[in-house]
Amino acid sequence: MISPRLVGALGAVALIAFCLTPARAQFSVKPGSKTPVIGKDTLCFAYHLEAGDSLYFITEAIDSVIFPGASTLLKTRIEENVVVCDSVRHDTIYYVRTWLRAAHELQTVPGTGDTVDRTSFPWVGRETYITMTRQGKRLAIASARPNVAGTAPGGIFRPLALPPLGGDCARQYQSWQHLDTVVYTENAVPEGIAFTNALYRVLDFVDSNMVRYRQIQYTQSSIASYEPQQAGLDFTLRAVINSYGKMTFDPLRLLPIHHAATSEQKVTIKREGNKDTEGRHLLLQHTQLVEVRSADPLRRLQRTADAVVRRPR
């Protein structure tokens, strides 16, 4: 499923990059500002799923795809993704399925007035199977129709709905660093793979509607690769990705109810016998948990009437 040659080659490059670049430098402090005082409360972050839980996420996103010599492509997108927990082992290992349920995307080329309105995507309904821990660590992955290439509307390295967290508990404004190898299996077949260096920081409580939500933010640098040759495609994609995100957790369900993420992907496309093509993919997305179906009444979340996939504004 994942090329051992690719893992070995990228692993060496990633290890060097991570050793030379401390992750703690990624959070910037404005001149004259003070470092926040460590809080007195300990906040814990993990995903909690129960067998039979079904989670529904709505994502609104804006993409810019920029390649020198070609017209810039702007995309606005709304999509719905589903995560179903099939079973749980030892209360810490989750076996989940996920798929894109629906999407609506507008593609425009600035200055031309050309607009493409898309509502049909081959990726809709393609199931992905993930075995993961409470901290989001991926232990095993598999894809439906693994020999049929395809990508999600948001691209191969679209930020994940349930990314690895790496840590567990910390006080307000404390941080932890997490190195990981992440397979973006729910975004593409064949799967993209990224060696990531992330710094998480716990934020303070956020009070809303008499609920004290917990928040963490992260910065992440990644060296990524996508090799679809086994699916009959004749190119290789390499990417250097810098991303930032903030996640808000429901303290009762222990699930992220909102995830704001930005991503800058510096992409190099390689084809044998051709000059490399370099470009950028800029992405901003907001993902909201809009519905939870569960056998436990306390975990259920009722969808509101406006939480649907519609034509982007």
Side-chain angles (χ1 to χ4, degrees), residues 42-172:
T42 298
L43 284 69
C44 295
F45 296 89
Y47 304 121
H48 177 71
L49 296 172
E50 297 181 1
D53 280 0
S54 295
L55 317 179
Y56 296 81
F57 296 92
I58 294 287
T59 295
E60 298 191 45
I62 301 172
D63 300 77
S64 297
V65 182
I66 306 165
F67 280 86
S71 298
T72 297
L73 180 63
L74 300 180
K75 301 192 292 183
T76 55
R77 184 179 73 257
I78 298 179
E79 61 186 42
E80 180 174 346
N81 289 273
V82 185
V83 176
V84 174
C85 180
D86 288 324
S87 61
V88 180
R89 180 162 59 92
H90 304 315
D91 294 327
T92 58
I93 307 297
Y94 305 131
Y95 297 86
V96 304
R97 289 178 291 128
T98 181
W99 66 92
L100 176 67
R101 188 182 189 191
H104 197 146
E105 180 179 275
L106 294 182
Q107 300 181 358
T108 60
V109 177
T112 67
D114 296 336
T115 299
V116 176
D117 194 331
R118 292 191 62 190
T119 57
S120 177
F121 299 86
W123 196 250
V124 169
R126 289 280 294 267
E127 287 192 342
T128 295
Y129 312 98
I130 303 172
T131 304
M132 57 182 282
T133 68
R134 294 181 72 249
Q135 279 71 44
K137 174 70 176 179
R138 287 151 183 247
L139 305 178
I141 56 95
S143 299
R145 293 184 287 159
N147 296 322
V148 179
T151 61
I156 302 162
F157 298 107
R158 170 192 184 276
L160 303 174
L162 302 176
L165 300 175
D168 194 352
C169 299
R171 290 157 63 188
Q172 293 100 320

Side-chain angles (χ1 to χ4, degrees), residues 18 21-29 159 163-166 174-180 182 184 195-203 216-223 241-247 259-264:
F18 292 149
T21 308
R24 291 188 180 277
Q26 297 177 36
F27 282 127
S28 61
V29 178
L165 300 175
Q174 283 188 325
S175 303
W176 65 80
Q177 185 177 1
H178 179 58
L179 308 182
D180 203 353
V182 181
Y184 286 70
F195 297 90
T196 64
N197 180 13
L199 179 65
Y200 281 88
R201 173 176 287 172
V202 176
L203 302 180
I216 55 174
Q217 67 180 13
Y218 63 86
T219 58
Q220 180 173 285
S221 300
S222 306
I223 298 175
I241 306 171
N242 292 307
S243 55
Y244 166 84
K246 181 185 290 185
M247 302 178 70
H259 181 187
T262 64
S263 173
E264 179 188 27

